[in-house]
Structure formats: structure tokens, C-alpha cells
Amino acid sequence: MKNSIQLSVRTLKNVVWLFCLALLFSCEAEPVLQEEINAADLGVKKNHNIVDIVSTHMNIEVQSTIPSGWTTFRYDNRSHNPHFVLFDKLPEGKTVEDSKAEVVPVFQDIIDAIAQEDEDALNQALSELPAWSGEIIYSGGTGLLSPNHISEITVYMEPGTYVLECYVKDSEGVFHATRGMITGMVVTEDHNGNKEPKFTMEVRISSETGIEFDKKVRPGKHLIKAFFEDQTVYTHFLGHDIHLVRLDENTDLDELNSWMNWSDPNAFKTPAPEGVEFLGGMQDLPALEGKEESHVGYFDAHLKPGTYAFIAEVPDPMSKGMFEVFTVPSAR
Ligand SMILES: [Cu+2]
């Protein structure tokens, strides 16, 4: 369990680590139509009061204010690129405008410096990262989602000011947030009264044991509970998350494994690797001590027979037990 102060210290340590690594190694997808799935409903209970999030290009459209409590978001990706929507809870007094002015451009400078193997520029960019950015609490959000797909997630929203963003990179290495995929949202003290949803399947993720779940997965419509046993900061400055992907005969597992790391200038760029259909998931949850809701997020999945994987966006997820392939059999 880590609190935000510990996270910020670790973040700084990892900034230094990444800097050292950089010194050492001076180192548009076609739309896919979502298929109709005639599968059994395994007992998924839907929340009411759904909050819609829509992307039609490099944008994130959502209402500006919502009440607090368990909240279901429906993300509709109508654009031509895979995206996610990460919820960043800002420290008191900060807004999306502060993030746009002080954080997003710096991360763009950081990745540009790494790409250009420019040590001075990297050093300069790191020095410009505001101290308050270490106090941002990553608070869930929709996992990677291929174009023309819809994903529903449910998370517990604490009151506060949030940034919603996507940091996948375009083919030129520019973050989608830099291109406009960033917006603000305020969660008020008013409670929405929603209950925690009922789930049909559970997957657990931890920095020590990776991703764990019962691999006897039934086909059909699921609501998957993602339980974050802990949270930490990896060498890409961020923690672990979980994404559901459908694989096919064209999938190169090593390519996908390498792709899942924004801090690699050659990875996390669109177009995404071939043979990978992103079906959503759950972004980093903070797993705060004494706050059970901060360990838990839910996401829906329509699993038809085939090959899938749960994978985290961390450097080399395979080595961390965070790239788990599984098969969904035909219904009997
Ligand atoms: Cu994006």
C-alpha cells in the first residue's frame, strides 16, 4: 500500500532511474466494427445514471460535473484510433488548465528528448515537471479500446477535480493528450447513492504476483471485477493497470509486450500492433490503505469463443506476470 506522498517520492526516484537508463541506452488504424455477440447474459447487473464519454477524433467529451460515489462510465470510441480514458485526481486547487499548461507539455518534451537521445533536453524537461504533479492520484478509467467499440466501467469517484486524458501517441510520437485528448471534470460532495455492482468474474493484479484469475472463463457477457492488491511506480513513472485484448492468428505477442510502454519512443504509438483488438479494462487504481473502494474497479466484456489476454501497460509486462493469455471455449 502506498500513499500519494510515497508515490511522489518513488516517482522522483524513477525520474532519476529513467534518466540513467536514457543515458545508458541513449536509447492510423483502420476502424474495426464491433461484432454483434449472441452470448448468454451471465447475470450482469447494470448501474443506472450512466455517464457518457465520447471520442470522435482526438477529443474527450464528458459532462463537466458529476456527483460522487460508484459511477458507471460508458466510453464510446467513435474515432479511428485506439484510446483509453485515465482519470487523474488533481491536488487541491489545481485544474485541467494547470495540467495542460504545466504537465502535458513537459511529458511531451520528455518523450521527445528520449526519442532524440538528447540528454540535455531530457534533463531540462525533468527539471520543469512541477512538484504538484507528484501528488496526482491516478484513479481508474477505461482501458485501451479499439475504434468503434463501447466499454462500460464502474469506479468509486471521490469528490475532487479530475483530468481525463489519453496518452497513447500518434504515428509522429505526439501524445493524444497533446493533440487535445484531455478534459476536466469535477466530482461534487453530493453522493449519487449507487451501490457497488455485482460481478461475474474477478481478476487480481499486484506488483508482486502480477495478474491472477481463474482461467476457466465462460463465454458470454461479463462484468469483471479488477482488484488492485497494491499499487507502485514503475520505470515509466506510472503504476499498473489492466487491459483486455482479443488476439488472433496475426498477433505477435512479443510485439504487443514491447508496445505496452509509453516511455519507449517506439512503442505505445498508433497504429496499434496487428492482430490486437482492445476491449477496455481498468486504468491504474491507487489501492490506498484503508480505502477499500480505491482497490476495486469493474469493466464489462462480451467474451465469445477465442483467444484473449489480460495485459498491463508497464515496461515488459510479460516479465512481471502481467501478460496472461487465456482461451474462451465454446458454450456447451
Ligand atoms: Cu488516445
Side-chain angles (χ1 to χ4, degrees):
M1 316 294 176
K2 307 286 185 299
N3 61 30
S4 59
I5 294 169
Q6 287 170 313
L7 275 177
S8 69
V9 170
R10 297 198 61 161
T11 301
L12 281 174
K13 284 181 182 169
N14 283 294
V15 166
V16 173
W17 195 94
L18 184 74
F19 175 58
C20 296
L21 189 75
L23 286 180
L24 274 175
F25 294 95
S26 300
C27 57
E28 313 284 314
E30 288 298 313
V32 181
L33 291 175
Q34 181 161 23
E35 293 180 44
E36 288 294 321
I37 300 165
N38 297 316
D41 184 330
L42 298 175
V44 174
K45 295 276 187 288
K46 298 241 170 171
N47 222 331
H48 43 281
N49 305 328
I50 289 173
V51 177
D52 285 300
I53 306 175
V54 179
S55 293
T56 51
H57 51 286
M58 290 291 180
N59 62 340
I60 296 174
E61 302 296 333
V62 68
Q63 63 197 73
S64 58
T65 305
I66 61 169
S68 53
W70 288 107
T71 308
T72 298
F73 295 88
R74 181 194 288 126
Y75 181 45
D76 185 353
N77 182 4
R78 299 181 199 160
S79 80
H80 298 302
N81 285 293
H83 301 296
F84 58 79
V85 182
L86 171 64
F87 303 161
D88 307 340
K89 187 170 183 287
L90 300 181
E92 191 85 29
K94 295 297 174 189
T95 69
V96 66
E97 297 308 324
D98 297 311
S99 188
K100 282 182 188 174
E102 299 176 40
V103 179
V104 174
V106 176
F107 270 93
Q108 191 62 57
D109 289 345
I110 288 172
I111 197 68
D112 290 347
I114 295 172
Q116 292 156 15
E117 302 177 7
D118 187 334
E119 177 192 330
D120 290 339
L122 179 60
N123 211 9
Q124 177 66 26
L126 292 172
S127 72
E128 289 173 3
L129 207 54
W132 64 264
S133 66
E135 296 169 36
I136 292 170
I137 300 174
Y138 301 108
S139 303
T142 309
L144 283 158
L145 190 64
S146 288
N148 296 309
H149 284 59
I150 293 173
S151 173
E152 286 187 10
I153 65 159
T154 302
V155 286
Y156 190 92
M157 298 302 290
E158 295 282 354
T161 301
Y162 290 76
V163 160
L164 279 60
E165 64 163 328
C166 173
Y167 58 81
V168 174
K169 289 170 281 180
D170 68 11
S171 57
E172 295 171 10
V174 177
F175 290 118
H176 290 183
T178 307
R179 296 286 192 209
M181 288 201 75
I182 181 166
T183 194
M185 186 176 70
V186 172
V187 179
T188 67
E189 296 282 345
D190 294 337
H191 197 276
N192 60 24
N194 289 340
K195 292 185 179 149
E196 192 168 350
K198 291 192 164 53
F199 58 94
T200 59
M201 185 177 163
E202 182 172 10
V203 56
R204 302 174 79 87
I205 181 164
S206 98
S207 61
E208 298 195 349
T209 53
I211 292 171
E212 297 178 306
F213 59 104
D214 182 350
K215 289 199 172 180
K216 288 183 200 150
V217 178
R218 295 165 65 194
K221 294 180 181 176
H222 286 272
L223 190 66
I224 300 172
K225 175 180 182 177
F227 186 86
F228 286 59
E229 298 191 30
D230 63 4
Q231 189 53 277
T232 188
V233 178
Y234 300 89
T235 54
H236 68 335
F237 307 102
L238 297 173
H240 46 246
D241 52 11
I242 185 162
H243 306 269
L244 174 65
V245 296
R246 185 176 164 91
L247 311 176
D248 65 26
E249 63 280 1
N250 296 318
T251 314
D252 180 334
L253 297 184
D254 289 330
E255 183 186 15
L256 177 58
N257 188 60
S258 301
W259 191 81
M260 297 294 284
N261 175 12
W262 76 263
S263 68
D264 179 342
N266 299 313
F268 221 53
K269 287 166 80 167
T270 51
E274 278 212 18
V276 178
E277 186 181 11
F278 292 110
L279 300 173
M282 181 54 54
Q283 288 289 334
D284 309 35
L285 283 167
L288 302 171
E289 199 163 359
K291 283 203 171 186
E292 189 64 19
E293 315 86 48
S294 75
H295 292 250
V296 179
Y298 299 86
F299 58 97
D300 70 343
H302 296 184
L303 298 177
K304 53 187 177 173
T307 306
Y308 295 79
F310 286 120
I311 187 168
E313 192 249 312
V314 293
D316 193 5
M318 217 177 268
S319 69
K320 298 175 172 66
M322 293 184 183
F323 187 176
E324 292 293 315
V325 176
F326 63 99
T327 302
V328 176
S330 299
R332 280 187 282 170

